[in-house]
Amino acid sequence: MILLFGEEQDHDVRKLLTLADREEISRGLAAGRRLCDIAAVVGRDRSVISREVARHGGRAGYRAGPAEEAARVGRSRPKMFAVDRSPRLREVVTGLLQIGWSPASIAGRLPRLYPTDETYRVSHEAIS
């Protein structure tokens, strides 16, 4: 509970999905259940389940083990900046900086220059 202006307020802390949750999601998908039914069994909102499934292979490709591993890797810190992970992106960003583009301009223009390539998405903070 958090005290706010003399009143007690419930504060929901975001709970991470567990491997057991992911296994239940996988079993539900394999059985052809609806996402809202799986969400009720897991005790989460339907949107949480929907994002989880979409993020890790969709209905046909979702597997609990790989989803758990991908989530663990995604949570690990510190993360490398996108420009450090991709030599192609680094080359493009460096070239644009050398001709006077600002980091914000580069970050905004890359999705237009490379609309189908997600590796060219970077924030201006990662360029600075």
Side-chain angles (χ1 to χ4, degrees):
M1 297 285 196
I2 294 180
L3 227 65
L4 184 63
F5 302 111
E7 299 176 22
E8 284 188 8
Q9 302 270 329
D10 280 332
H11 181 69
D12 291 331
V13 176
R14 186 176 77 166
K15 293 186 338 185
L16 301 175
L17 288 170
T18 64
L19 179 57
D21 294 335
R22 289 186 168 94
E23 288 170 345
E24 190 61 44
I25 293 167
S26 187
R27 282 191 294 273
L29 293 172
R33 284 192 234 135
R34 298 178 316 160
L35 294 180
C36 60
D37 296 335
I38 297 169
V41 170
V42 175
R44 301 298 179 94
D45 192 81
R46 181 197 179 283
S47 65
V48 172
I49 305 306
S50 176
R51 284 191 304 270
E52 171 72 9
V53 172
R55 186 180 299 126
H56 299 293
R59 270 191 169 275
Y62 187 87
R63 300 293 177 270
E68 176 73 14
E69 179 61 17
R72 186 191 61 74
V73 169
R75 287 189 308 269
S76 67
R77 297 289 187 268
K79 291 187 184 293
M80 289 177 60
F81 286 120
V83 291
D84 295 330
R85 290 189 309 257
S86 171
R88 293 180 310 155
L89 176 62
R90 186 176 330 114
E91 184 179 329
V92 171
V93 168
T94 302
L96 293 173
L97 285 170
Q98 288 174 345
I99 61 171
W101 284 47
S102 73
S105 295
I106 295 169
R109 183 57 63 108
L110 286 174
R112 288 188 228 144
L113 293 173
Y114 304 95
T116 60
D117 193 345
E118 292 292 318
T119 61
Y120 285 94
R121 304 298 185 266
V122 64
S123 70
H124 67 280
E125 292 97 346
I127 295 172
S128 300

mmCIF file of all heavy atoms in Angstrom, residues 53-99:
data_model
loop_
_atom_site.group_PDB
_atom_site.id
_atom_site.type_symbol
_atom_site.label_atom_id
_atom_site.label_comp_id
_atom_site.label_asym_id
_atom_site.label_seq_id
_atom_site.Cartn_x
_atom_site.Cartn_y
_atom_site.Cartn_z
ATOM 1 N N VAL A 53 2.152 -13.672 -26.871
ATOM 2 C CA VAL A 53 2.058 -14.598 -28.000
ATOM 3 C C VAL A 53 2.593 -13.937 -29.270
ATOM 4 O O VAL A 53 3.373 -14.551 -30.016
ATOM 5 C CB VAL A 53 0.602 -15.084 -28.183
ATOM 6 C CG1 VAL A 53 0.447 -15.875 -29.463
ATOM 7 C CG2 VAL A 53 0.179 -15.928 -26.983
ATOM 8 N N ALA A 54 2.225 -12.692 -29.511
ATOM 9 C CA ALA A 54 2.686 -11.991 -30.711
ATOM 10 C C ALA A 54 4.198 -11.808 -30.699
ATOM 11 O O ALA A 54 4.860 -11.934 -31.727
ATOM 12 C CB ALA A 54 1.988 -10.633 -30.825
ATOM 13 N N ARG A 55 4.746 -11.528 -29.535
ATOM 14 C CA ARG A 55 6.180 -11.267 -29.393
ATOM 15 C C ARG A 55 7.020 -12.519 -29.603
ATOM 16 O O ARG A 55 8.175 -12.440 -30.000
ATOM 17 C CB ARG A 55 6.415 -10.703 -27.984
ATOM 18 C CG ARG A 55 7.801 -10.233 -27.689
ATOM 19 C CD ARG A 55 7.916 -9.699 -26.267
ATOM 20 N NE ARG A 55 7.045 -8.559 -26.050
ATOM 21 C CZ ARG A 55 6.137 -8.469 -25.070
ATOM 22 N NH1 ARG A 55 5.965 -9.445 -24.213
ATOM 23 N NH2 ARG A 55 5.397 -7.389 -24.945
ATOM 24 N N HIS A 56 6.423 -13.689 -29.338
ATOM 25 C CA HIS A 56 7.219 -14.923 -29.333
ATOM 26 C C HIS A 56 6.690 -15.986 -30.285
ATOM 27 O O HIS A 56 6.574 -17.156 -29.921
ATOM 28 C CB HIS A 56 7.307 -15.480 -27.916
ATOM 29 C CG HIS A 56 7.964 -14.557 -26.942
ATOM 30 N ND1 HIS A 56 9.298 -14.224 -26.998
ATOM 31 C CD2 HIS A 56 7.462 -13.845 -25.906
ATOM 32 C CE1 HIS A 56 9.595 -13.380 -26.030
ATOM 33 N NE2 HIS A 56 8.489 -13.128 -25.361
ATOM 34 N N GLY A 57 6.370 -15.605 -31.502
ATOM 35 C CA GLY A 57 6.085 -16.602 -32.523
ATOM 36 C C GLY A 57 4.652 -16.734 -32.985
ATOM 37 O O GLY A 57 4.373 -17.507 -33.889
ATOM 38 N N GLY A 58 3.721 -16.033 -32.346
ATOM 39 C CA GLY A 58 2.324 -16.132 -32.760
ATOM 40 C C GLY A 58 1.690 -17.444 -32.313
ATOM 41 O O GLY A 58 2.327 -18.280 -31.679
ATOM 42 N N ARG A 59 0.424 -17.621 -32.647
ATOM 43 C CA ARG A 59 -0.319 -18.819 -32.238
ATOM 44 C C ARG A 59 0.364 -20.099 -32.683
ATOM 45 O O ARG A 59 0.454 -21.054 -31.942
ATOM 46 C CB ARG A 59 -1.731 -18.785 -32.819
ATOM 47 C CG ARG A 59 -2.730 -18.115 -31.931
ATOM 48 C CD ARG A 59 -4.148 -18.362 -32.442
ATOM 49 N NE ARG A 59 -5.089 -17.938 -31.440
ATOM 50 C CZ ARG A 59 -5.484 -18.694 -30.422
ATOM 51 N NH1 ARG A 59 -5.046 -19.907 -30.279
ATOM 52 N NH2 ARG A 59 -6.337 -18.216 -29.540
ATOM 53 N N ALA A 60 0.829 -20.121 -33.924
ATOM 54 C CA ALA A 60 1.402 -21.353 -34.475
ATOM 55 C C ALA A 60 2.817 -21.621 -33.963
ATOM 56 O O ALA A 60 3.216 -22.781 -33.844
ATOM 57 C CB ALA A 60 1.415 -21.277 -36.000
ATOM 58 N N GLY A 61 3.569 -20.577 -33.646
ATOM 59 C CA GLY A 61 4.972 -20.773 -33.303
ATOM 60 C C GLY A 61 5.334 -20.596 -31.846
ATOM 61 O O GLY A 61 6.502 -20.739 -31.478
ATOM 62 N N TYR A 62 4.371 -20.292 -30.985
ATOM 63 C CA TYR A 62 4.687 -20.009 -29.578
ATOM 64 C C TYR A 62 5.148 -21.267 -28.855
ATOM 65 O O TYR A 62 4.494 -22.300 -28.911
ATOM 66 C CB TYR A 62 3.468 -19.428 -28.858
ATOM 67 C CG TYR A 62 3.796 -18.976 -27.452
ATOM 68 C CD1 TYR A 62 4.274 -17.705 -27.222
ATOM 69 C CD2 TYR A 62 3.638 -19.825 -26.367
ATOM 70 C CE1 TYR A 62 4.586 -17.280 -25.944
ATOM 71 C CE2 TYR A 62 3.953 -19.417 -25.086
ATOM 72 C CZ TYR A 62 4.431 -18.135 -24.881
ATOM 73 O OH TYR A 62 4.751 -17.724 -23.625
ATOM 74 N N ARG A 63 6.291 -21.184 -28.168
ATOM 75 C CA ARG A 63 6.792 -22.262 -27.323
ATOM 76 C C ARG A 63 7.272 -21.647 -26.019
ATOM 77 O O ARG A 63 7.975 -20.627 -26.014
ATOM 78 C CB ARG A 63 7.955 -23.007 -27.996
ATOM 79 C CG ARG A 63 7.624 -23.660 -29.326
ATOM 80 C CD ARG A 63 6.632 -24.825 -29.150
ATOM 81 N NE ARG A 63 6.260 -25.411 -30.414
ATOM 82 C CZ ARG A 63 5.244 -25.039 -31.178
ATOM 83 N NH1 ARG A 63 4.485 -24.021 -30.808
ATOM 84 N NH2 ARG A 63 4.967 -25.655 -32.293
ATOM 85 N N ALA A 64 6.926 -22.264 -24.917
ATOM 86 C CA ALA A 64 7.210 -21.700 -23.596
ATOM 87 C C ALA A 64 8.709 -21.527 -23.341
ATOM 88 O O ALA A 64 9.144 -20.475 -22.860
ATOM 89 C CB ALA A 64 6.590 -22.572 -22.506
ATOM 90 N N GLY A 65 9.498 -22.543 -23.629
ATOM 91 C CA GLY A 65 10.943 -22.489 -23.339
ATOM 92 C C GLY A 65 11.650 -21.360 -24.074
ATOM 93 O O GLY A 65 12.323 -20.529 -23.438
ATOM 94 N N PRO A 66 11.531 -21.311 -25.406
ATOM 95 C CA PRO A 66 12.167 -20.206 -26.131
ATOM 96 C C PRO A 66 11.623 -18.827 -25.733
ATOM 97 O O PRO A 66 12.366 -17.851 -25.695
ATOM 98 C CB PRO A 66 11.853 -20.511 -27.593
ATOM 99 C CG PRO A 66 11.656 -21.992 -27.633
ATOM 100 C CD PRO A 66 11.029 -22.333 -26.313
ATOM 101 N N ALA A 67 10.335 -18.745 -25.410
ATOM 102 C CA ALA A 67 9.757 -17.466 -24.982
ATOM 103 C C ALA A 67 10.363 -17.029 -23.655
ATOM 104 O O ALA A 67 10.680 -15.851 -23.460
ATOM 105 C CB ALA A 67 8.235 -17.576 -24.867
ATOM 106 N N GLU A 68 10.547 -17.972 -22.745
ATOM 107 C CA GLU A 68 11.165 -17.669 -21.444
ATOM 108 C C GLU A 68 12.598 -17.192 -21.635
ATOM 109 O O GLU A 68 13.023 -16.202 -21.032
ATOM 110 C CB GLU A 68 11.135 -18.906 -20.550
ATOM 111 C CG GLU A 68 11.821 -18.753 -19.227
ATOM 112 C CD GLU A 68 11.071 -17.890 -18.233
ATOM 113 O OE1 GLU A 68 9.879 -17.594 -18.451
ATOM 114 O OE2 GLU A 68 11.686 -17.499 -17.221
ATOM 115 N N GLU A 69 13.351 -17.885 -22.488
ATOM 116 C CA GLU A 69 14.743 -17.500 -22.737
ATOM 117 C C GLU A 69 14.830 -16.129 -23.389
ATOM 118 O O GLU A 69 15.656 -15.304 -22.999
ATOM 119 C CB GLU A 69 15.431 -18.557 -23.611
ATOM 120 C CG GLU A 69 16.865 -18.241 -23.958
ATOM 121 C CD GLU A 69 17.800 -18.122 -22.761
ATOM 122 O OE1 GLU A 69 17.458 -18.590 -21.658
ATOM 123 O OE2 GLU A 69 18.874 -17.535 -22.927
ATOM 124 N N ALA A 70 13.992 -15.864 -24.375
ATOM 125 C CA ALA A 70 13.989 -14.562 -25.050
ATOM 126 C C ALA A 70 13.632 -13.445 -24.056
ATOM 127 O O ALA A 70 14.224 -12.362 -24.098
ATOM 128 C CB ALA A 70 13.018 -14.563 -26.219
ATOM 129 N N ALA A 71 12.696 -13.709 -23.176
ATOM 130 C CA ALA A 71 12.312 -12.706 -22.173
ATOM 131 C C ALA A 71 13.459 -12.458 -21.200
ATOM 132 O O ALA A 71 13.728 -11.318 -20.823
ATOM 133 C CB ALA A 71 11.064 -13.161 -21.427
ATOM 134 N N ARG A 72 14.156 -13.528 -20.811
ATOM 135 C CA ARG A 72 15.294 -13.387 -19.893
ATOM 136 C C ARG A 72 16.389 -12.548 -20.540
ATOM 137 O O ARG A 72 16.928 -11.628 -19.934
ATOM 138 C CB ARG A 72 15.850 -14.759 -19.509
ATOM 139 C CG ARG A 72 16.940 -14.686 -18.441
ATOM 140 C CD ARG A 72 17.665 -16.011 -18.273
ATOM 141 N NE ARG A 72 18.342 -16.446 -19.485
ATOM 142 C CZ ARG A 72 19.476 -15.911 -19.959
ATOM 143 N NH1 ARG A 72 20.042 -14.903 -19.325
ATOM 144 N NH2 ARG A 72 20.033 -16.370 -21.058
ATOM 145 N N VAL A 73 16.702 -12.832 -21.786
ATOM 146 C CA VAL A 73 17.720 -12.070 -22.504
ATOM 147 C C VAL A 73 17.279 -10.616 -22.656
ATOM 148 O O VAL A 73 18.076 -9.692 -22.479
ATOM 149 C CB VAL A 73 18.014 -12.708 -23.887
ATOM 150 C CG1 VAL A 73 18.852 -11.793 -24.750
ATOM 151 C CG2 VAL A 73 18.692 -14.059 -23.705
ATOM 152 N N GLY A 74 16.007 -10.407 -22.943
ATOM 153 C CA GLY A 74 15.491 -9.052 -23.098
ATOM 154 C C GLY A 74 15.555 -8.227 -21.829
ATOM 155 O O GLY A 74 15.667 -7.003 -21.871
ATOM 156 N N ARG A 75 15.480 -8.901 -20.684
ATOM 157 C CA ARG A 75 15.547 -8.198 -19.398
ATOM 158 C C ARG A 75 16.973 -7.930 -18.951
ATOM 159 O O ARG A 75 17.197 -7.136 -18.046
ATOM 160 C CB ARG A 75 14.852 -9.014 -18.313
ATOM 161 C CG ARG A 75 13.366 -9.039 -18.382
ATOM 162 C CD ARG A 75 12.753 -9.674 -17.148
ATOM 163 N NE ARG A 75 13.269 -10.981 -16.801
ATOM 164 C CZ ARG A 75 12.768 -12.138 -17.219
ATOM 165 N NH1 ARG A 75 11.722 -12.154 -18.008
ATOM 166 N NH2 ARG A 75 13.298 -13.280 -16.838
ATOM 167 N N SER A 76 17.951 -8.610 -19.536
ATOM 168 C CA SER A 76 19.329 -8.495 -19.058
ATOM 169 C C SER A 76 19.852 -7.073 -19.244
ATOM 170 O O SER A 76 19.513 -6.389 -20.200
ATOM 171 C CB SER A 76 20.233 -9.506 -19.761
ATOM 172 O OG SER A 76 20.340 -9.191 -21.127
ATOM 173 N N ARG A 77 20.670 -6.665 -18.322
ATOM 174 C CA ARG A 77 21.276 -5.342 -18.346
ATOM 175 C C ARG A 77 22.753 -5.499 -18.078
ATOM 176 O O ARG A 77 23.148 -6.397 -17.371
ATOM 177 C CB ARG A 77 20.659 -4.431 -17.268
ATOM 178 C CG ARG A 77 19.180 -4.161 -17.448
ATOM 179 C CD ARG A 77 18.956 -3.257 -18.648
ATOM 180 N NE ARG A 77 17.602 -2.816 -18.793
ATOM 181 C CZ ARG A 77 16.677 -3.422 -19.513
ATOM 182 N NH1 ARG A 77 16.942 -4.542 -20.130
ATOM 183 N NH2 ARG A 77 15.473 -2.930 -19.624
ATOM 184 N N PRO A 78 23.609 -4.644 -18.560
ATOM 185 C CA PRO A 78 23.304 -3.535 -19.463
ATOM 186 C C PRO A 78 23.121 -4.033 -20.890
ATOM 187 O O PRO A 78 23.659 -5.069 -21.282
ATOM 188 C CB PRO A 78 24.535 -2.646 -19.355
ATOM 189 C CG PRO A 78 25.645 -3.574 -19.028
ATOM 190 C CD PRO A 78 25.032 -4.679 -18.217
ATOM 191 N N LYS A 79 22.369 -3.284 -21.657
ATOM 192 C CA LYS A 79 22.134 -3.616 -23.059
ATOM 193 C C LYS A 79 23.095 -2.814 -23.930
ATOM 194 O O LYS A 79 23.447 -1.687 -23.604
ATOM 195 C CB LYS A 79 20.710 -3.255 -23.468
ATOM 196 C CG LYS A 79 19.650 -4.114 -22.839
ATOM 197 C CD LYS A 79 18.321 -3.766 -23.467
ATOM 198 C CE LYS A 79 17.195 -4.511 -22.835
ATOM 199 N NZ LYS A 79 17.206 -5.915 -23.058
ATOM 200 N N MET A 80 23.459 -3.422 -25.043
ATOM 201 C CA MET A 80 24.263 -2.690 -26.021
ATOM 202 C C MET A 80 23.338 -1.785 -26.822
ATOM 203 O O MET A 80 22.199 -2.143 -27.095
ATOM 204 C CB MET A 80 24.961 -3.665 -26.978
ATOM 205 C CG MET A 80 26.069 -4.464 -26.350
ATOM 206 S SD MET A 80 26.794 -5.649 -27.519
ATOM 207 C CE MET A 80 27.379 -4.585 -28.800
ATOM 208 N N PHE A 81 23.831 -0.617 -27.184
ATOM 209 C CA PHE A 81 23.067 0.265 -28.055
ATOM 210 C C PHE A 81 22.943 -0.376 -29.427
ATOM 211 O O PHE A 81 23.816 -1.137 -29.862
ATOM 212 C CB PHE A 81 23.741 1.628 -28.194
ATOM 213 C CG PHE A 81 23.615 2.500 -26.976
ATOM 214 C CD1 PHE A 81 24.747 2.940 -26.307
ATOM 215 C CD2 PHE A 81 22.370 2.888 -26.512
ATOM 216 C CE1 PHE A 81 24.629 3.749 -25.200
ATOM 217 C CE2 PHE A 81 22.243 3.700 -25.405
ATOM 218 C CZ PHE A 81 23.382 4.123 -24.741
ATOM 219 N N ALA A 82 21.865 -0.042 -30.130
ATOM 220 C CA ALA A 82 21.623 -0.597 -31.464
ATOM 221 C C ALA A 82 22.792 -0.302 -32.398
ATOM 222 O O ALA A 82 23.184 -1.151 -33.201
ATOM 223 C CB ALA A 82 20.326 -0.043 -32.041
ATOM 224 N N VAL A 83 23.370 0.885 -32.294
ATOM 225 C CA VAL A 83 24.485 1.229 -33.176
ATOM 226 C C VAL A 83 25.731 0.410 -32.863
ATOM 227 O O VAL A 83 26.592 0.241 -33.719
ATOM 228 C CB VAL A 83 24.812 2.743 -33.153
ATOM 229 C CG1 VAL A 83 23.716 3.549 -33.793
ATOM 230 C CG2 VAL A 83 25.085 3.216 -31.753
ATOM 231 N N ASP A 84 25.825 -0.129 -31.662
ATOM 232 C CA ASP A 84 26.950 -0.997 -31.300
ATOM 233 C C ASP A 84 26.711 -2.434 -31.755
ATOM 234 O O ASP A 84 27.653 -3.174 -31.987
ATOM 235 C CB ASP A 84 27.193 -0.971 -29.789
ATOM 236 C CG ASP A 84 27.630 0.395 -29.301
ATOM 237 O OD1 ASP A 84 28.275 1.118 -30.093
ATOM 238 O OD2 ASP A 84 27.331 0.743 -28.146
ATOM 239 N N ARG A 85 25.438 -2.825 -31.876
ATOM 240 C CA ARG A 85 25.102 -4.196 -32.282
ATOM 241 C C ARG A 85 25.148 -4.393 -33.790
ATOM 242 O O ARG A 85 25.325 -5.511 -34.251
ATOM 243 C CB ARG A 85 23.693 -4.558 -31.794
ATOM 244 C CG ARG A 85 23.559 -4.729 -30.306
ATOM 245 C CD ARG A 85 22.197 -5.297 -29.945
ATOM 246 N NE ARG A 85 21.080 -4.588 -30.529
ATOM 247 C CZ ARG A 85 20.298 -3.727 -29.890
ATOM 248 N NH1 ARG A 85 20.513 -3.460 -28.626
ATOM 249 N NH2 ARG A 85 19.297 -3.132 -30.506
ATOM 250 N N SER A 86 24.950 -3.336 -34.557
ATOM 251 C CA SER A 86 24.820 -3.472 -36.011
ATOM 252 C C SER A 86 25.849 -2.616 -36.741
ATOM 253 O O SER A 86 25.739 -1.386 -36.770
ATOM 254 C CB SER A 86 23.414 -3.054 -36.446
ATOM 255 O OG SER A 86 23.343 -2.981 -37.845
ATOM 256 N N PRO A 87 26.836 -3.255 -37.385
ATOM 257 C CA PRO A 87 27.824 -2.482 -38.145
ATOM 258 C C PRO A 87 27.193 -1.682 -39.291
ATOM 259 O O PRO A 87 27.624 -0.557 -39.571
ATOM 260 C CB PRO A 87 28.768 -3.547 -38.708
ATOM 261 C CG PRO A 87 28.584 -4.739 -37.835
ATOM 262 C CD PRO A 87 27.171 -4.680 -37.346
ATOM 263 N N ARG A 88 26.156 -2.231 -39.937
ATOM 264 C CA ARG A 88 25.489 -1.505 -41.029
ATOM 265 C C ARG A 88 24.847 -0.222 -40.507
ATOM 266 O O ARG A 88 24.976 0.846 -41.107
ATOM 267 C CB ARG A 88 24.417 -2.374 -41.694
ATOM 268 C CG ARG A 88 24.968 -3.558 -42.448
ATOM 269 C CD ARG A 88 23.864 -4.366 -43.089
ATOM 270 N NE ARG A 88 22.812 -4.680 -42.118
ATOM 271 C CZ ARG A 88 21.551 -4.939 -42.426
ATOM 272 N NH1 ARG A 88 21.150 -4.932 -43.669
ATOM 273 N NH2 ARG A 88 20.678 -5.221 -41.484
ATOM 274 N N LEU A 89 24.138 -0.340 -39.380
ATOM 275 C CA LEU A 89 23.492 0.835 -38.794
ATOM 276 C C LEU A 89 24.543 1.854 -38.369
ATOM 277 O O LEU A 89 24.387 3.060 -38.605
ATOM 278 C CB LEU A 89 22.618 0.432 -37.603
ATOM 279 C CG LEU A 89 21.958 1.571 -36.839
ATOM 280 C CD1 LEU A 89 21.012 2.354 -37.727
ATOM 281 C CD2 LEU A 89 21.207 1.011 -35.629
ATOM 282 N N ARG A 90 25.616 1.384 -37.754
ATOM 283 C CA ARG A 90 26.678 2.291 -37.306
ATOM 284 C C ARG A 90 27.263 3.066 -38.484
ATOM 285 O O ARG A 90 27.507 4.267 -38.391
ATOM 286 C CB ARG A 90 27.780 1.505 -36.596
ATOM 287 C CG ARG A 90 28.844 2.397 -35.980
ATOM 288 C CD ARG A 90 29.898 1.648 -35.182
ATOM 289 N NE ARG A 90 29.397 0.441 -34.571
ATOM 290 C CZ ARG A 90 29.796 -0.800 -34.899
ATOM 291 N NH1 ARG A 90 30.717 -0.980 -35.798
ATOM 292 N NH2 ARG A 90 29.291 -1.857 -34.308
ATOM 293 N N GLU A 91 27.459 2.390 -39.609
ATOM 294 C CA GLU A 91 28.018 3.039 -40.798
ATOM 295 C C GLU A 91 27.093 4.149 -41.314
ATOM 296 O O GLU A 91 27.543 5.253 -41.621
ATOM 297 C CB GLU A 91 28.246 1.999 -41.887
ATOM 298 C CG GLU A 91 28.908 2.532 -43.132
ATOM 299 C CD GLU A 91 29.136 1.436 -44.159
ATOM 300 O OE1 GLU A 91 29.342 0.281 -43.784
ATOM 301 O OE2 GLU A 91 29.093 1.774 -45.360
ATOM 302 N N VAL A 92 25.801 3.856 -41.381
ATOM 303 C CA VAL A 92 24.835 4.852 -41.857
ATOM 304 C C VAL A 92 24.771 6.033 -40.895
ATOM 305 O O VAL A 92 24.837 7.201 -41.312
ATOM 306 C CB VAL A 92 23.436 4.219 -42.039
ATOM 307 C CG1 VAL A 92 22.392 5.283 -42.307
ATOM 308 C CG2 VAL A 92 23.459 3.195 -43.157
ATOM 309 N N VAL A 93 24.668 5.754 -39.595
ATOM 310 C CA VAL A 93 24.566 6.818 -38.593
ATOM 311 C C VAL A 93 25.829 7.673 -38.598
ATOM 312 O O VAL A 93 25.760 8.909 -38.591
ATOM 313 C CB VAL A 93 24.285 6.224 -37.193
ATOM 314 C CG1 VAL A 93 24.478 7.267 -36.108
ATOM 315 C CG2 VAL A 93 22.886 5.644 -37.137
ATOM 316 N N THR A 94 26.978 7.040 -38.615
ATOM 317 C CA THR A 94 28.243 7.782 -38.621
ATOM 318 C C THR A 94 28.346 8.684 -39.849
ATOM 319 O O THR A 94 28.745 9.845 -39.749
ATOM 320 C CB THR A 94 29.434 6.797 -38.588
ATOM 321 O OG1 THR A 94 29.314 5.978 -37.436
ATOM 322 C CG2 THR A 94 30.759 7.538 -38.524
ATOM 323 N N GLY A 95 27.956 8.145 -41.003
ATOM 324 C CA GLY A 95 27.987 8.941 -42.227
ATOM 325 C C GLY A 95 27.094 10.167 -42.145
ATOM 326 O O GLY A 95 27.486 11.267 -42.560
ATOM 327 N N LEU A 96 25.894 9.995 -41.617
ATOM 328 C CA LEU A 96 24.966 11.123 -41.493
ATOM 329 C C LEU A 96 25.455 12.143 -40.463
ATOM 330 O O LEU A 96 25.297 13.355 -40.661
ATOM 331 C CB LEU A 96 23.563 10.623 -41.156
ATOM 332 C CG LEU A 96 22.870 9.814 -42.269
ATOM 333 C CD1 LEU A 96 21.557 9.223 -41.773
ATOM 334 C CD2 LEU A 96 22.648 10.683 -43.500
ATOM 335 N N LEU A 97 26.058 11.672 -39.368
ATOM 336 C CA LEU A 97 26.611 12.602 -38.376
ATOM 337 C C LEU A 97 27.750 13.418 -38.989
ATOM 338 O O LEU A 97 27.873 14.619 -38.735
ATOM 339 C CB LEU A 97 27.122 11.835 -37.150
ATOM 340 C CG LEU A 97 26.069 11.288 -36.197
ATOM 341 C CD1 LEU A 97 26.711 10.361 -35.175
ATOM 342 C CD2 LEU A 97 25.320 12.417 -35.495
ATOM 343 N N GLN A 98 28.567 12.770 -39.810
ATOM 344 C CA GLN A 98 29.715 13.461 -40.409
ATOM 345 C C GLN A 98 29.296 14.564 -41.378
ATOM 346 O O GLN A 98 30.041 15.532 -41.563
ATOM 347 C CB GLN A 98 30.626 12.452 -41.117
ATOM 348 C CG GLN A 98 31.396 11.592 -40.145
ATOM 349 C CD GLN A 98 32.200 10.490 -40.831
ATOM 350 O OE1 GLN A 98 31.982 10.181 -41.991
ATOM 351 N NE2 GLN A 98 33.120 9.901 -40.082
ATOM 352 N N ILE A 99 28.125 14.422 -41.972
ATOM 353 C CA ILE A 99 27.683 15.494 -42.890
ATOM 354 C C ILE A 99 26.762 16.497 -42.188
ATOM 355 O O ILE A 99 26.150 17.330 -42.845
ATOM 356 C CB ILE A 99 27.020 14.927 -44.160
ATOM 357 C CG1 ILE A 99 25.761 14.110 -43.844
ATOM 358 C CG2 ILE A 99 28.022 14.128 -44.966
ATOM 359 C CD1 ILE A 99 24.957 13.703 -45.075
#
